[in-house]
Amino acid sequence: MFSNTRITKAFKNAKKLKLSEQSKYILFSDCHRGDNSFADDFSHNRKIYHYALSHYLKENFTYIELGDGDELWENKFDAIFNANKDVYLLLKRFHEDKRLHFIWGNHDMEYRNPRNIVKNLHYYYDTTDDKEKELMIGASFSEAIRLESENNRSIFLLHGHQADWFNYSFWKLSRFLVRFLWRPLQVIGVKDPTSPAQNHRELIKVEKRLEKWIKKNDNQMIITGHTHRPRFPSINELPHFNDGSCVHPRCITGLEIENNLITLIKWHVQTNNDGIMQINKTVLEGPEMLSKHL
């Protein structure tokens, strides 16, 4: 199946959510939550991510995760949960408020199977009192989401690996290579050449395939992850946005949608004039009216 067909299928079958002036969405992707080992890139930004998510919970945002939330290629979920229990309990609060939506990517493609969602996310074992407790029963996973406005235009959200044939069609082989070849080599600095996030040539190919689809589909506005490269197009460019990732060396990036505006932001640690380190949000691009891109 060609990338154009895969993307079109995801678009037609996408879950639909409302988009209005009252809508408040925060989009993150590519957290790659791991087991806190040497190969866990998320561990460096866990506190930043938790702080940012706490802010959005308090401000009544709906959280949409655009894939690769859990690093299931390299780790068993029990190890991921134990290393990030505070994060999952925070996600649980979004879920209880019906403000949580997951999209699966290539690294957590196991969530296409509802049995894996039940197995990993419905309950957890609390070692503090030796009891099994509810986590996120009925957690929502989709291949894609469409935020639909009142004028029948929409924002198409998906991970983006649909434009990456190897990491979509042969994801199990790619998982095997990552788990048993590239993960050990990561210790000595060898990068995975099959990953668009680490291979610039593959990144460009993925972006071009996505933009080819946009052109063929009436300049449909699209937001993806996968490549880890933030994108915020100008008015004269194709409406292809990317929220970046949560595993940048010193920050996490995301996209906010609020008051019919879209903004590319980053959360990072800064030191103030008194030498005190604090987590701050910085606007990278925008805010800009969504109507200019829809």
Side-chain angles (χ1 to χ4, degrees):
M1 195 187 305
F2 296 108
S3 60
N4 185 74
T5 305
R6 289 192 294 268
I7 298 168
T8 298
K9 182 180 178 182
F11 181 79
K12 289 180 178 179
N13 296 329
K15 178 180 180 179
K16 296 177 177 62
L17 299 176
K18 289 184 179 180
L19 178 65
S20 68
E21 190 174 0
Q22 289 73 43
S23 300
K24 299 173 73 171
Y25 292 106
I26 173 61
L27 279 54
F28 286 135
S29 74
D30 298 275
C31 299
H32 295 277
R33 290 181 288 266
D35 61 355
N36 202 32
S37 67
F38 64 88
D40 181 5
D41 294 327
F42 178 72
S43 63
H44 308 299
N45 292 334
R46 186 194 296 103
K47 291 182 179 178
I48 298 175
Y49 175 84
H50 189 279
Y51 184 88
L53 221 55
S54 297
H55 164 81
Y56 292 117
L57 179 68
K58 181 180 178 182
E59 295 299 320
N60 295 312
F61 277 75
T62 293
Y63 178 47
I64 302 179
E65 192 166 85
L66 303 187
D68 284 4
D70 295 338
E71 182 45 76
L72 297 178
W73 280 10
E74 298 182 9
N75 312 285
K76 297 294 185 182
F77 181 76
D78 286 347
I80 298 174
F81 179 84
N82 290 333
N84 301 281
K85 181 179 177 180
D86 58 337
V87 168
Y88 288 100
L89 293 182
L90 187 56
L91 291 171
K92 181 179 188 291
R93 295 177 64 186
F94 276 95
H95 177 67
E96 290 170 344
D97 288 346
K98 296 181 172 35
R99 292 191 281 131
L100 179 65
H101 304 273
F102 293 110
I103 287 174
W104 45 259
N106 49 310
H107 282 252
D108 53 8
M109 210 151 167
E110 291 179 25
Y111 289 134
R112 284 195 307 179
N113 186 336
R115 287 180 296 180
N116 291 325
I117 300 172
V118 173
K119 176 184 174 183
N120 289 354
L121 297 174
H122 277 204
Y123 295 92
Y124 73 99
Y125 185 76
D126 193 340
T127 56
T128 59
D129 55 11
D130 294 323
K131 292 182 179 179
E132 189 176 68
K133 297 180 179 179
E134 290 185 4
L135 187 56
M136 292 180 279
I137 295 177
S140 171
F141 276 84
S142 311
E143 181 174 7
I145 292 173
R146 284 161 62 182
L147 303 180
E148 295 197 319
S149 66
E150 295 174 353
N151 63 0
N152 295 321
R153 297 292 289 178
S154 66
I155 305 175
F156 181 29
L157 314 179
L158 76 167
H159 183 59
H161 66 304
Q162 291 81 358
D164 181 355
W165 68 274
F166 187 78
N167 281 305
Y168 189 94
S169 300
F170 298 100
W171 68 274
K172 290 185 178 180
L173 173 59
S174 189
R175 178 182 62 183
F176 175 85
L177 293 173
V178 166
R179 185 173 294 178
F180 298 106
L181 179 60
W182 301 118
R183 188 176 192 232
L185 290 176
Q186 187 176 357
V187 183
I188 57 175
V190 178
K191 296 181 179 180
D192 177 2
T194 67
S195 168
Q198 301 183 47
N199 185 323
H200 188 71
R201 184 175 296 176
E202 289 301 314
L203 181 152
I204 296 301
K205 287 181 181 178
V206 168
E207 291 183 346
K208 285 185 175 180
R209 291 178 191 131
L210 287 165
E211 290 173 1
K212 184 177 180 180
W213 184 90
I214 292 171
K215 289 179 182 177
K216 286 185 175 181
N217 289 271
D218 193 27
N219 281 357
Q220 169 66 50
M221 182 177 174
I222 189 170
I223 301 178
T224 63
H226 189 52
T227 66
H228 295 200
R229 179 162 81 160
R231 289 178 58 92
F232 196 94
S234 66
I235 302 302
N236 298 323
E237 295 177 315
L238 290 172
H240 177 199
F241 291 76
N242 190 301
D243 62 3
S245 83
C246 294
V247 292
H248 297 296
R250 290 170 296 278
C251 70
I252 68 174
T253 59
L255 286 164
E256 293 179 357
I257 296 175
E258 184 180 12
N259 297 323
N260 280 332
L261 299 169
I262 186 167
T263 309
L264 176 66
I265 49 88
K266 76 171 181 178
W267 289 86
H268 55 119
V269 175
Q270 285 184 313
T271 304
N272 65 19
N273 293 333
D274 297 322
I276 298 174
M277 299 180 71
Q278 55 191 27
I279 299 172
N280 290 328
K281 182 179 78 170
T282 298
V283 172
L284 298 177
E285 298 281 353
E288 201 161 89
M289 291 295 297
L290 285 170
S291 58
K292 295 181 178 180
H293 300 278
L294 286 173

